[in-house]
Structure formats: C-alpha cells, structure tokens
Amino acid sequence: MVFMDYQALYDEWLTSPCFDEATKAELRGISEEEKKDRFYMELEFGTAGLRGVIGAGLNRMNIYTVRKATQGLANYIIKAGEQKKGVAIAYDSRRMSPEFAKEAALCLAANGIKAYLFESLRPTPELSFAVRKLGCIAGIVVTASHNPPEYNGYKVYWEDGAQISEPIDGEIIAEVNSTDFADIKKISKEEAIEKGLYNVIGPDFDDLYINELKKNTLNPEAIKEAADSLKIVYTPLHGTGGRLAKKLFNELGYKNVHIVKEQEEPNGDFPTVSY
C-alpha cells in the first residue's frame, strides 16, 4: 500500500503510544529522504510473507510490523476455528531474528493461540517438520534467505509444512492489511507461559528431525562402502545448518567431511560472503 502523505504517518509514529521511545528516537534522527523511504508505503505482506530492511517505520522490518503481520495471521486462524492447533516458530542467524520470533510467539499467545518456539536458530526444513510433527495449523520462519545483511523477513507456512498458497495467502494478506497497530493484542512472557501458550522446542526435537532425515537414505550400504574415500566439503554460510549437518553426516557414517571453518559459525553480518 503506497501513501501520499508520508509526513503524517511519520508524525503519527512520533506521537502514538503504540511505539516505544527508542523507536521514536531513531526516527527523529533520520533525513528527509530516509523519512520518505520509511513511510511512503507499508512493508508489503506478500505471498511468502514480509521481507525488508531492518529499522523503524512502516516500510521496515521491526517488532511492530512483525506484530502486525502476526495479529493478521492470528485473526485468520481464529476465524478458521483452528487456534487450538498452535503455531511453530523458527528463526535464523540474522540480526533481530530471535527478537522477532519472540514477538511473534507472544502475539499469538495474546490471541489464545499456542506458540511453539525453537530455543535457538534452526534450519527452515526443520520448521516444516515441526509444523507436521506437532500438528500445528501454521508455522513462521524469521529469515530473509539470500538478501543482504541489513534485511530480515517473515515467512508463513501452513499445516502441510509448505509455504502458504492460494487461496489462503490472499485471505491472510487481507487480514494483515486490515489490522491497525492499535488492534494488536499483547501479553507478557510470564503470563503466556503460565497459560501454557508459550512453549519452547528444545534440542531433543532435533533427534526426531534427524531420524526422519535418515529414513530418506536411498542406499545405506553404499555409504558404508564409500565412507572412507568419499570427501565432502560443507559450508553453512554463517547460517543455521552447521550443527545439524555435522551430526547427520556423522550418524550416516561419512568419515571425510570438511567444514569451511571461516563460515561455520552463525553470523548475521555474513562477513565472508560478498554477495
């Protein structure tokens, strides 16, 4: 949605009680050109979800735009009568990913929808597995995929473990677009936990996922025959895959797996990746 009067929207963010003082302070320090870029349009909730530069404003990824997207998703789930199934949430190594994931979980909990949040970063396919394994109605992944470090994103998955598609995507988008920041429901983490609406998925779940992956091995005997001679080079590119990939390679019996050390640790700045 494109807005003609970006100044009015900017002023609203500076005066509204919906936004915290840190957000307002950031906005006071931006240039006129930056002001226009942040408020001339609303960060669009598309087919896959949200994606944009991190920062304060309507056209940015921040806790408020994440909450708004989650409130719209919650509204759709409630109208569908599926709130009892819950929503699984995962996130990657990007800047603000843990914070955005937590805000999504709390917004769902405030709407009476049980949230299952991974304790730390996990690869997107494990989120798909969690949605199906836990019998959730939906899943959320906080990630911006291949975009530069200043970006983050928010993708919605449905109960089949795949990204939302027609007609569900359009119906969720309509709910998000019709949600105002003042409409967003809130709850404390403590209250959400007490009500059983904020649940953490721990490392034991990784074993369930890896065991499922191992079932897809086409020829285990071939691995045994080639385990000593086959050489594998693997890099997680500062992302989420390293820990689980190493565990999986080891359990399948591969002997010569070489991890690119410079890119092994999660890092939202992606310091060794130029593009």
Side-chain angles (χ1 to χ4, degrees):
M1 187 181 298
V2 177
F3 302 103
M4 298 300 293
D5 191 358
Y6 66 88
Q7 180 66 48
L9 293 166
Y10 170 80
D11 292 339
E12 182 182 339
W13 275 57
L14 287 183
T15 57
S16 171
C18 292
F19 309 107
D20 63 25
E21 188 53 42
T23 296
K24 294 175 181 178
E26 179 183 334
L27 291 174
R28 292 189 192 102
I30 63 177
S31 66
E32 188 67 24
E33 183 179 352
E34 184 74 5
K35 182 194 303 182
K36 182 177 181 180
D37 187 55
R38 294 190 187 205
F39 288 94
Y40 85 98
M41 68 173 292
E42 189 170 15
L43 190 64
E44 184 178 3
F45 191 99
T47 300
L50 300 173
R51 188 173 298 171
V53 175
I54 299 168
L58 273 176
N59 191 28
R60 292 290 185 271
M61 280 290 298
N62 52 66
I63 61 171
Y64 302 105
T65 50
V66 166
R67 287 173 182 169
K68 186 175 184 292
T70 308
Q71 184 63 55
L73 174 62
N75 291 344
Y76 179 79
I77 291 172
I78 291 169
K79 286 182 178 180
E82 301 284 10
Q83 59 267 40
K84 291 184 179 181
K85 291 183 178 179
V87 176
I89 305 172
Y91 60 91
D92 68 5
S93 60
R94 286 180 176 270
R95 304 166 188 168
M96 295 296 293
S97 284
E99 291 86 350
F100 292 159
K102 178 184 174 184
E103 291 297 335
L106 289 176
C107 183
L108 290 167
N111 284 274
I113 299 170
K114 185 178 291 187
Y116 298 93
L117 177 64
F118 277 98
E119 60 165 3
S120 60
L121 75 175
R122 292 297 194 281
T124 296
E126 188 170 5
L127 181 279
S128 292
F129 174 74
V131 168
R132 293 165 64 106
K133 187 70 175 178
L134 297 172
C136 295
I137 186 60
I140 296 168
V141 183
V142 179
T143 180
S145 303
H146 60 279
N147 286 85
E150 61 269 23
Y151 281 74
N152 210 328
Y154 174 109
K155 297 180 180 179
V156 178
Y157 288 67
W158 207 235
E159 60 184 333
D160 58 355
Q163 285 189 27
I164 52 173
S165 58
E166 293 182 347
I168 293 172
D169 57 348
E171 294 168 355
I172 292 175
I173 289 168
E175 290 291 343
V176 174
N177 290 340
S178 64
T179 298
D180 293 323
F181 289 104
D183 298 331
I184 297 169
K185 296 181 180 180
K186 298 177 183 177
I187 192 173
S188 70
K189 182 179 177 181
E190 292 73 22
E191 184 181 354
I193 292 172
E194 184 179 337
K195 291 182 175 180
L197 297 170
Y198 188 101
N199 303 271
V200 176
I201 303 176
D204 290 348
F205 197 84
D206 295 338
D207 293 329
L208 298 176
Y209 176 55
I210 285 177
N211 288 338
E212 193 67 29
L213 292 179
K214 286 158 65 175
K215 294 177 185 177
N216 291 300
T217 304
L218 298 179
N219 193 337
E221 291 304 315
I223 296 176
K224 293 178 182 178
E225 293 173 9
D228 293 324
S229 58
L230 181 65
K231 295 180 179 180
I232 299 171
V233 177
Y234 169 78
T235 175
L237 289 172
H238 302 296
T240 62
R243 183 172 57 84
L244 291 187
K246 286 191 290 184
K247 182 177 175 65
L248 180 59
F249 282 135
N250 181 64
E251 292 191 13
L252 287 173
Y254 293 105
K255 306 295 184 184
N256 290 312
V257 179
H258 304 275
I259 309 295
V260 179
K261 293 296 181 184
E262 295 85 352
Q263 299 176 333
E264 184 175 5
E265 293 303 315
N267 189 328
D269 293 329
F270 303 98
T272 69
V273 184
S274 61
Y275 176 78

